[in-house]
């Protein structure tokens, strides 16, 4: 087949995405700018004046940010360890890593309820040891959402990082050592900078995933709203489709903004990565 | 006095000995190359010196201090890798400055040293580029600069030129030798290219299955190999296993299945007991049978079995009563397959090896 006809292979997928994703999204965005009185951005202005909504947006951003940071801190060393293993062991460890992804978020959230609830395992243990008098309020707080999201997204960042770290030539590490670098220096001056591409992709996945996640915050957040549960509430419970569309558009805009910020950051950290 | 010594070193992977009772001594300022077939343990030896690898047994002495357990980053040895191993995320300047920054050199010192070494390797003006923007030869020069700039006590090269094309290889080896001699850096150089090793080394160690078969200056190895392996490796394609060797004042008498040969004795011939004669294909003589009446000394009658055209010369396989010989001959003389000929082993062209 001639090379220039190869793009035809893209067509079925492209068609599907256009009909079922791109057009609906554009329509959704379109509706937010049109009211009975024609074009207006009043909907957005109202929104950003609303303390309640701003609060939800900031909470969601904060939760996503913390989730991403914790995932990086926990995932980076684990990924490095796995990337250094021999083929067989590596395969087993990667399988174990993605195991949580194979259970439903609903099931996982319910098990967290059992663990961090008022009468949950954690509180019982801490009280049993006499460390606290009253049970801690973890469930139905942003902390609970973060715990659930870290659990959900840690595998993702580990797998992404392992992919990048595997491809760091061991000769580079040896070269650094022979030039006088201690283990720590090798890690900070070679391994971390060369992992930046994986770190960026992983962070984007985790951040965007956390920002848009629904099930976990819905179950572990209780009355604590995040942007996705807020959207759901407006659309399904309150039947406020105009509001829901505006929320959706804001979510898309924030997501795009985050991705471009992270890409910019990556370029700075690793100019030729 | 030796700068460093490997003493009775053994290295094993999965209980299989790669190096065994390995000994090597290198003097300050010399370039010694390790030459041998693939898998003989050259890289292993180099990694051991660098400290990437720990010996199971034996000692590594550096300036008479025990360095066996000193970690890589405390050794101050430069290593140049086959695939360059430049840091892709750092500019050429930063690649070279890597070791200096770890040594806490001041900014102006780093600047001065990097520029100086860039001049040595002829790469001035490239400091802002990234490794991906250089050719193979330029990358290798950066790798050399990066290893040189830390003023290493020993410089280690693992087949540094094997990814380069033939012309560049010749230029680069001349460069490496020039820099090494100018700076007087003790160097261990691994290659499996014979010509490369011979042309740049003070001494060549021929390795086989984890031991050094011979360590001498290139000319000695070329002319007087000590063992059959070394002889074979450097192109002595013909071997005669003699039954008897009798040494006289100025000659050696050799016997094989009733045929006797005489070998001119020469002061540099240090092998006093070897009974295997080795001769290069270029050094054997072929004569037409009719040329001569009486049979001369050191001659055998034979028959051309195979004749191969090599471009500049012909290669013949000659069948004789004591075995087959490979002979190279100039284009001008040609012999037919099946032709009866006389094969002569010149008195001074054979060496005796173990
Ligand atoms: N990490 C390892 N694990 C097991 N065996 C190894 C390992 N590294 C090398 N070996 C074995 O050790 C022997 C010597 O290897 P080495 O790399 O020193 O050879 P070399 O002389 O450098 O060969 P080449 O010219 O092909 O580079 C080989 O038989 C090789 O298979
Ligand atoms: Mg090797």
């Amino acid at each position: 087949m001639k090379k220039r006809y190869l793009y035809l292979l893209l067509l079925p997928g492209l068609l599907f995405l256009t009909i079922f994703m791109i057009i609906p999204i554009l329509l959704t965005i379109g509706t937010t700018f049109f009211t009975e009185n024609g074009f207006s951005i009043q909907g957005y202005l109202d929104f950003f004046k609303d303390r309640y909504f701003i609060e939800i947006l900031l909470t969601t951003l904060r939760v996503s940010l913390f989730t991403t940071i914790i995932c990086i801190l926990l995932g980076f060393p684990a990924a490095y360890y796995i990337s250094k293993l021999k083929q067989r062991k590596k395969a087993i460890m990667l399988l174990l890593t993605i195991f949580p992804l194979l259970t439903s978020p609903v099931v996982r959230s319910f098990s967290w309820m059992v663990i961090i609830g008022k009468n949950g395992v954690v509180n019982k243990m801490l009280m049993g040891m006499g460390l606290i008098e009253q049970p801690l309020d973890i469930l139905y707080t942003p902390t609970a959402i973060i715990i659930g999201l870290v659990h959900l997204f840690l595998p993702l960042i580990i797998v992404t990082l392992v992919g990048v770290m595997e491809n760091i030539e061991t000769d580079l590490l040896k070269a650094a050592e022979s030039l006088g670098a201690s283990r720590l220096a090798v890690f900070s001056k070679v391994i971390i900078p060369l992992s930046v591409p994986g770190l960026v992709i992983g962070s984007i996945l985790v951040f965007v995933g956390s920002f848009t996640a629904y099930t976990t915050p819905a179950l572990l957040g209780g009355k604590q709203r995040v942007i996705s549960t807020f959207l759901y509430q407006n659309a399904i419970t309150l039947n406020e489709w105009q509001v829901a569309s505006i929320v959706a558009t804001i979510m898309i805009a924030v997501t795009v903004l985050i991705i471009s910020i992270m890409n910019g950051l990556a370029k700075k950290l690793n100019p030729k990565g | 006095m030796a700068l460093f010594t490997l003493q009775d070193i053994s290295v094993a992977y999965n209980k299989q000995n790669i190096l065994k009772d390995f000994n090597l001594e290198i003097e300050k300022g010399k370039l010694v190359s390790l030459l041998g077939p693939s898998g003989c343990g050259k890289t292993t030896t180099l990694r051991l010196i660098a400290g990437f690898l720990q010996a199971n047994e034996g000692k590594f002495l550096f300036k008479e201090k025990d360095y066996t357990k000193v970690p890589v980053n405390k050794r101050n040895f430069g290593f140049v890798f086959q695939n360059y191993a430049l840091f892709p995320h750092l500019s050429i300047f930063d690649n070279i400055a890597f070791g200096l920054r770890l040594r806490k050199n001041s900014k102006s010192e780093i600047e001065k040293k990097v520029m100086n070494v860039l001049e040595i390797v002829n790469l001035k003006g490239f400091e802002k580029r990234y490794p991906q923007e250089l050719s193979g030869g330029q990358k290798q020069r950066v790798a050399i600069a990066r290893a040189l700039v830390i003023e290493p006590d020993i410089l280690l090269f693992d087949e540094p030129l094997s990814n380069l094309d033939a012309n560049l290889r010749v230029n680069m080896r001349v460069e490496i030798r020039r820099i090494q001699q100018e700076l007087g850096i003790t160097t261990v150089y691994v290659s499996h290219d014979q010509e490369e090793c011979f042309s740049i080394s003070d001494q060549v160690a021929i390795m086989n299955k984890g031991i050094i078969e011979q360590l001498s200056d290139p000319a000695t190895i070329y002319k007087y190999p000590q063992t059959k392996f070394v002889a074979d490796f450097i192109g002595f394609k013909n071997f005669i296993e003699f039954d008897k060797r009798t040494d006289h004042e100025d000659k050696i008498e050799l016997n094989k299945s009733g045929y006797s040969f005489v070998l001119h004795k020469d002061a540099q011939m240090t092998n006093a007991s070897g009974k295997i004669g080795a001769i290069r294909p270029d050094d054997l003589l072929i004569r037409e049978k009719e040329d001569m009446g009486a049979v001369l000394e050191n001659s055998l009658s034979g028959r051309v079995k195979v004749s191969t055209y090599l471009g500049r010369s012909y290669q013949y396989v000659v069948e004789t009563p004591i075995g087959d010989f490979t002979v190279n001959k100039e284009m001008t003389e040609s012999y037919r397959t099946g032709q009866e000929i006389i094969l002569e082993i010149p008195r001074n062209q054979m060496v005796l090896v173990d």
Side-chain angles (χ1 to χ4, degrees):
Chain A
M1 191 160 38
K2 277 198 187 138
K3 247 219 170 99
R4 63 200 159 104
Y5 294 120
L6 275 177
Y7 68 85
L8 285 176
L9 294 174
L10 275 177
L11 223 54
L14 206 61
L15 216 61
F16 182 87
L17 282 180
T18 312
I19 295 174
F20 294 105
M21 200 174 131
I22 297 177
I23 292 176
I25 286 179
L26 289 179
L27 284 178
T28 307
I29 294 175
T31 57
T32 64
F33 291 104
F34 292 98
T35 54
E36 299 97 72
N37 320 324
F39 181 85
S40 114
I41 54 163
Q42 195 53 45
Y44 289 94
L45 294 180
D46 289 347
F47 241 96
F48 285 105
K49 273 190 229 135
D50 182 357
R51 290 288 306 260
Y52 180 61
F53 173 72
I54 294 291
E55 205 55 51
I56 289 176
L57 182 63
L58 288 180
T59 307
T60 315
L61 285 171
R62 210 165 32 235
V63 164
S64 308
L65 186 68
F66 276 119
T67 305
T68 310
I69 292 172
I70 295 171
C71 277
I72 290 174
L73 292 180
L74 295 181
F76 203 91
Y80 185 61
Y81 170 78
I82 294 174
S83 75
K84 286 281 150 216
L85 292 173
K86 296 237 166 69
Q87 265 325 312
R88 263 184 65 92
K89 273 196 190 159
K90 195 188 290 176
I92 294 170
M93 291 303 272
L94 278 176
L95 198 70
L96 288 177
T97 307
I98 57 169
F99 208 72
L101 290 179
L102 305 178
T103 58
S104 121
V106 178
V107 174
R108 242 175 308 158
S109 296
F110 276 119
S111 30
W112 277 113
M113 288 180 181
V114 175
I115 295 170
I116 58 178
K118 269 226 156 57
N119 296 312
V121 183
V122 172
N123 272 325
K124 277 209 180 118
M125 222 161 66
L126 290 177
M127 294 213 299
M129 290 192 293
L131 290 174
I132 49 170
E133 303 268 295
Q134 295 291 313
L136 293 174
D137 271 327
I138 310 174
L139 191 58
Y140 305 136
T141 63
T143 312
I145 302 178
I146 292 174
I147 292 175
L149 288 175
V150 167
H151 189 197
L152 182 63
F153 289 118
L154 195 53
L156 223 58
I157 202 160
I158 292 180
V159 170
T160 320
L161 280 174
V162 168
V164 175
M165 285 174 173
E166 267 179 333
N167 289 325
I168 299 178
E169 280 178 67
T170 42
D171 277 353
L172 290 181
L173 313 183
K174 291 210 173 97
E177 259 186 294
S178 77
L179 292 167
S182 61
R183 291 264 158 107
L184 195 69
V186 172
F187 201 74
S188 67
K189 287 181 191 294
V190 182
I191 294 169
I192 291 183
L194 289 179
S195 303
V196 163
L199 218 48
V200 170
I201 294 172
S203 304
I204 289 176
L205 285 175
V206 173
F207 195 96
V208 172
S210 307
F211 189 72
T212 53
Y214 173 76
T215 317
T216 307
L219 293 175
L220 295 179
K223 278 213 238 6
Q224 174 65 55
R225 289 270 166 274
V226 294
I227 200 156
S228 60
T229 50
F230 179 67
L231 186 149
Y232 179 84
Q233 186 189 27
N234 275 293
I236 307 297
T237 319
L238 307 175
N239 219 7
E240 290 268 16
W241 285 92
Q242 178 72 7
V243 175
S245 296
I246 291 178
V247 175
T249 308
I250 293 174
M251 278 174 87
I252 293 172
V254 171
T255 308
V256 171
L257 191 70
I258 298 287
I259 293 177
S260 44
I261 289 176
M262 290 214 189
N263 269 330
L265 208 67
K267 282 231 174 63
K268 260 210 181 118
L269 282 173
N270 189 355
K272 296 278 157 174
Chain B
M1 189 198 76
L3 178 71
F4 74 91
T5 314
L6 298 177
Q7 245 173 32
D8 303 320
I9 295 276
S10 294
V11 174
Y13 287 120
N14 317 322
K15 304 215 173 84
Q16 204 191 349
N17 271 314
I18 303 301
L19 297 182
K20 191 152 172 52
D21 300 327
F22 189 91
N23 287 286
L24 179 64
E25 241 185 52
I26 296 183
E27 275 170 44
K28 195 164 163 44
K30 295 277 188 254
L31 192 157
V32 176
S33 52
L34 306 178
L35 179 62
S38 189
C40 69
K42 306 181 293 289
T43 299
T44 306
T45 309
L46 215 56
R47 304 206 149 195
L48 190 91
I49 298 171
F52 295 137
L53 193 79
Q54 286 293 318
N56 302 66
E57 278 168 59
K59 266 193 186 157
F60 175 62
L61 300 178
F62 176 73
K63 292 186 174 161
E64 295 178 330
K65 286 190 292 271
D66 188 352
Y67 252 52
T68 319
K69 294 253 148 58
V70 174
V72 183
N73 59 330
K74 297 269 156 37
R75 288 196 182 191
N76 198 40
F77 298 168
F79 202 106
V80 179
F81 295 82
Q82 181 172 0
N83 51 2
Y84 324 127
L86 299 179
F87 304 120
H89 60 296
L90 298 178
S91 67
I92 301 312
F93 185 95
D94 291 333
N95 260 282
I96 298 174
F98 192 91
L100 298 174
R101 297 220 163 98
L102 291 165
R103 282 167 180 72
K104 303 267 180 291
N105 277 274
S106 75
K107 218 171 163 188
S108 60
E109 238 177 324
I110 291 176
E111 178 94 20
K112 212 177 86 197
K113 285 184 184 173
V114 172
M115 287 307 165
N116 182 35
V117 80
L118 276 170
E119 178 138 15
I120 293 177
V121 298
N122 273 325
L123 276 182
K124 268 217 138 126
F126 285 76
E127 55 273 11
K128 289 213 177 62
R129 295 221 202 163
Y130 280 82
Q132 301 86 314
E133 301 164 350
L134 299 186
S135 72
Q138 291 166 338
K139 279 188 212 171
Q140 197 52 285
R141 278 185 278 166
V142 175
I144 294 170
R146 188 179 65 179
L148 278 177
V149 81
I150 60 169
E151 291 161 29
D153 292 303
I154 302 174
L155 198 51
L156 304 165
F157 288 93
D158 192 1
E159 306 203 26
L161 309 182
S162 58
N163 288 341
L164 306 179
D165 69 52
N167 276 336
L168 197 53
R169 237 173 10 230
V170 174
N171 293 344
M172 283 295 296
R173 77 186 190 211
V174 174
E175 287 276 282
I176 289 178
R177 180 58 161 167
R178 171 183 67 82
I179 293 167
Q180 184 266 333
Q181 284 186 319
E182 255 174 45
L183 307 178
I185 299 183
T186 315
T187 302
V188 185
Y189 190 99
V190 164
S191 172
H192 51 225
D193 182 333
Q194 250 179 71
E195 193 185 294
E196 194 175 303
C197 284
F198 279 39
S199 66
I200 68 170
S201 309
D202 294 302
Q203 290 204 298
V204 177
I206 307 276
M207 287 181 64
N208 178 28
K209 295 189 189 136
I211 59 157
I212 291 180
E213 293 248 346
Q214 188 172 354
L215 173 66
S216 325
D217 61 280
T220 306
I221 293 219
Y222 192 78
K223 267 192 100 172
Y224 303 103
Q226 291 288 327
T227 65
K228 187 177 174 189
F229 175 84
V230 175
D232 190 30
F233 192 75
I234 58 171
F236 287 76
K237 286 281 164 270
N238 301 298
F239 297 96
I240 312 169
E241 302 199 5
F242 292 107
D243 307 324
K244 193 157 150 259
R245 163 178 177 165
T246 323
D247 284 50
H248 299 282
E249 184 110 5
D250 58 349
K251 62 179 185 184
I252 301 169
E253 227 181 285
L254 298 153
N255 293 289
K256 163 90 180 172
S257 335
Y259 292 86
S260 70
F261 298 87
V262 177
L263 181 58
H264 182 75
K265 206 169 182 174
D266 145 355
Q268 284 169 284
M269 221 179 262
T270 47
N271 193 325
S273 60
K275 282 205 288 191
I276 302 174
I279 318 122
R280 291 178 189 276
D282 290 328
D283 295 336
L284 284 165
L285 301 176
I286 295 182
R287 250 183 237 123
E288 306 230 357
K289 202 136 201 183
E290 301 82 51
D291 276 9
M292 35 182 303
V295 171
L296 292 175
E297 72 163 8
N298 283 9
S299 293
L300 292 158
S301 55
R303 198 176 60 85
V304 176
K305 205 161 100 179
V306 183
S307 157
T308 316
Y309 176 61
L310 293 183
R312 210 148 41 100
S313 60
Y314 274 99
Q315 186 166 74
Y316 302 106
V317 177
V318 176
E319 193 176 25
T320 77
I322 60 167
D324 289 358
F325 288 84
T326 305
V327 188
N328 289 350
K329 272 286 150 230
E330 291 295 310
M331 273 291 296
T332 47
E333 315 163 59
S334 74
Y335 301 90
R336 280 171 287 108
T337 308
Q339 189 174 347
E340 300 283 332
I341 48 97
I342 300 286
L343 183 74
E344 187 192 332
I345 300 169
R347 257 175 175 252
N348 52 3
Q349 297 293 10
M350 184 159 59
V351 286
L352 290 167
V353 299
D354 293 323

